[in-house]
Amino acid sequence: MAQDHQDTTHQGMGGIGAGKGSSDQAALLSNQLCFSIYSAAHLFNRTYKPLLDRLGLTYPQYLVMLVLWSGDGLTVKAIGEQLDLDSGTLTPLLKRLEAAGLVSRQRDPQNERLVRVTLTGAGRALRDHLGTVQEAILCATGLNLDGLKALKTQVDELRAGLAANLGPADRDD
Amino acid sequence: MAQDHQDTTHQGMGGIGAGKGSSDQAALLSNQLCFSIYSAAHLFNRTYKPLLDRLGLTYPQYLVMLVLWSGDGLTVKAIGEQLDLDSGTLTPLLKRLEAAGLVSRQRDPQNERLVRVTLTGAGRALRDHLGTVQEAILCATGLNLDGLKALKTQVDELRAGLAANLGPADRDD
DNA sequence: CGATAACGAATTGCGCACAATTCGTCAGTT
DNA sequence: AACTGACGAATTGTGCGCAATTCGTTATCG
């Protein structure tokens, strides 16, 4: 397979093995890249699971705790904006964190539409285990500082591209 | 407890930075990298959704169809090995594909433990839309061939690292 | 042989993720 | 003040993803 690059003309050619230019190869690669990301997310989740099980958290719950550790008393919407999650996901998740005694949820008296999420003492105390978890994850990646930086930079570029494509063209007919 | 902690530029105050120097930064980065991957996977899913809705597929269903398009008549286990999914995920998914008329599931007469999944005519016909989907995804990434290759290579290295760490040390107590 | 272990799917239960809808609250208009 | 629209959360319903268990089949060993 030839490795000719920088082709940006991919218009209206259907079919996979049609023997076209390099855009077919790029299209196939984008497919494979998506699966690699999908698979890596699952592998990360499995890596986190035994660590977070000891804290009684799932990975999405851990993400919410990270947000609250860096800024307590946020609304559901504010948490959702940082994590890109909506109330349909967060409301039941926060209820579980509340049932676990890690946060409290109460309506803002100034604006009854808002629900403010506040850490309890137990929620704040869990932060002591953060370092241990992060160290274990770092070790599991098998990457060094440079590798981590390079990969995160590229993934964030990809995220920006995908988000830009979703934003202006989020229409269906 | 008078710890307001409105400082977000440092992370090594509480119990995080109790140990070492530069590995703290790496540990934090690995945390952020995981979120970037997690978030990118969701963005990919949202990008695929309007495209696959027209085919009546979800993204995991699309992955299964990709596997079957490149090798029909596979067992549930064989599909699961390619996608890293187990029967708890695949069995209901395959039943939905069967209900949609895209595949058929039947026990292997030679070995009644195996369930072979075969494409129907409609399942084979769906393959005609593959090119269109791939082109749209390629465009949405905003990456060129070099960027795709570089990113996929690094994500696959990360996957290998995580998988190597899961395999030998998949113990819980 | 017959008991037993291993195997492959299916099932159960829990927790996301997300679209779509509902509900109470607040803001702007007349 | 009543009407209207926007807003933030909660709710409903579908589909993963995975651990744990169950069930029928096959292979192995004494």
Side-chain angles (χ1 to χ4, degrees):
Chain A
M1 46 183 95
Q3 294 187 5
D4 43 355
H5 32 71
Q6 93 251 0
D7 181 342
T8 53
T9 68
H10 44 272
Q11 300 179 357
M13 39 181 86
I16 11 175
K20 292 303 187 328
S22 63
S23 81
D24 274 351
Q25 191 185 349
L28 182 59
L29 252 180
S30 67
N31 219 42
Q32 295 170 349
L33 171 62
C34 180
F35 174 71
S36 291
I37 299 264
Y38 163 90
S39 174
H42 289 169
L43 286 170
F44 257 131
N45 197 46
R46 284 177 220 165
T47 304
Y48 269 105
K49 186 167 191 315
L51 301 168
L52 294 180
D53 273 349
R54 289 164 173 74
L55 308 187
L57 294 175
T58 64
Y59 180 67
Q61 289 169 7
Y62 170 72
L63 290 179
V64 169
M65 294 301 287
L66 282 177
V67 169
L68 292 173
W69 284 329
S70 75
D72 203 356
L74 297 177
T75 65
V76 174
K77 184 179 179 58
I79 297 171
E81 281 169 355
Q82 289 197 40
L83 299 179
D84 202 7
L85 296 173
D86 67 355
S87 71
T89 299
L90 287 176
T91 294
L93 187 154
L94 290 168
K95 284 184 176 178
R96 278 174 217 116
L97 288 182
E98 187 178 39
L102 300 177
V103 306
S104 80
R105 301 159 56 246
Q106 43 195 7
R107 295 272 170 184
D108 187 324
Q110 257 63 49
N111 188 341
E112 290 277 347
R113 288 177 299 187
L114 309 179
V115 168
R116 300 216 168 264
V117 183
T118 315
L119 288 167
T120 64
R124 256 177 267 114
L126 257 198
R127 195 172 186 275
D128 294 341
H129 300 82
L130 178 55
T132 307
V133 172
Q134 286 182 341
E135 292 289 342
I137 292 300
L138 168 61
C139 176
T141 62
L143 297 178
N144 57 17
L145 190 56
D146 286 342
L148 286 170
K149 278 184 187 170
L151 183 45
K152 176 168 160 20
T153 298
Q154 291 187 54
V155 175
D156 285 344
E157 283 176 18
L158 170 63
R159 285 211 290 153
L162 292 174
N165 192 272
L166 275 179
D170 200 11
R171 325 263 316 143
D172 58 23
D173 46 327
Chain B
M1 306 306 157
Q3 47 170 307
D4 260 350
H5 196 74
Q6 57 222 24
D7 176 357
T8 53
T9 60
H10 284 70
Q11 47 82 26
M13 314 283 279
I16 312 171
K20 311 165 188 170
S22 68
S23 79
D24 273 353
Q25 190 185 352
L28 181 60
L29 251 180
S30 68
N31 219 41
Q32 295 170 349
L33 171 62
C34 180
F35 174 72
S36 291
I37 299 263
Y38 163 90
S39 174
H42 289 167
L43 286 169
F44 257 130
N45 197 46
R46 286 178 219 164
T47 304
Y48 269 105
K49 186 166 193 314
L51 301 166
L52 295 180
D53 273 349
R54 289 165 173 75
L55 308 187
L57 293 175
T58 65
Y59 180 67
Q61 288 169 7
Y62 170 72
L63 289 179
V64 169
M65 294 301 287
L66 282 176
V67 169
L68 292 173
W69 284 329
S70 74
D72 204 357
L74 297 177
T75 64
V76 174
K77 183 178 180 59
I79 297 172
E81 280 168 355
Q82 290 197 39
L83 300 180
D84 202 7
L85 295 172
D86 66 355
S87 70
T89 299
L90 285 176
T91 295
L93 188 154
L94 289 168
K95 284 185 177 178
R96 279 175 216 116
L97 288 181
E98 187 178 40
L102 299 177
V103 306
S104 80
R105 302 159 54 245
Q106 45 196 5
R107 297 270 170 186
D108 187 324
Q110 256 63 48
N111 188 341
E112 291 276 349
R113 289 177 298 187
L114 310 179
V115 168
R116 301 216 168 263
V117 183
T118 315
L119 289 167
T120 64
R124 257 177 267 111
L126 256 197
R127 196 172 186 277
D128 295 339
H129 300 82
L130 177 56
T132 307
V133 172
Q134 285 181 342
E135 292 289 343
I137 292 299
L138 168 61
C139 177
T141 62
L143 297 178
N144 58 17
L145 190 56
D146 286 342
L148 287 170
K149 279 184 187 170
L151 183 46
K152 176 168 162 16
T153 298
Q154 292 187 54
V155 174
D156 285 345
E157 283 176 18
L158 169 64
R159 285 212 289 152
L162 292 174
N165 191 273
L166 274 179
D170 198 13
R171 330 241 335 126
D172 60 24
D173 49 329

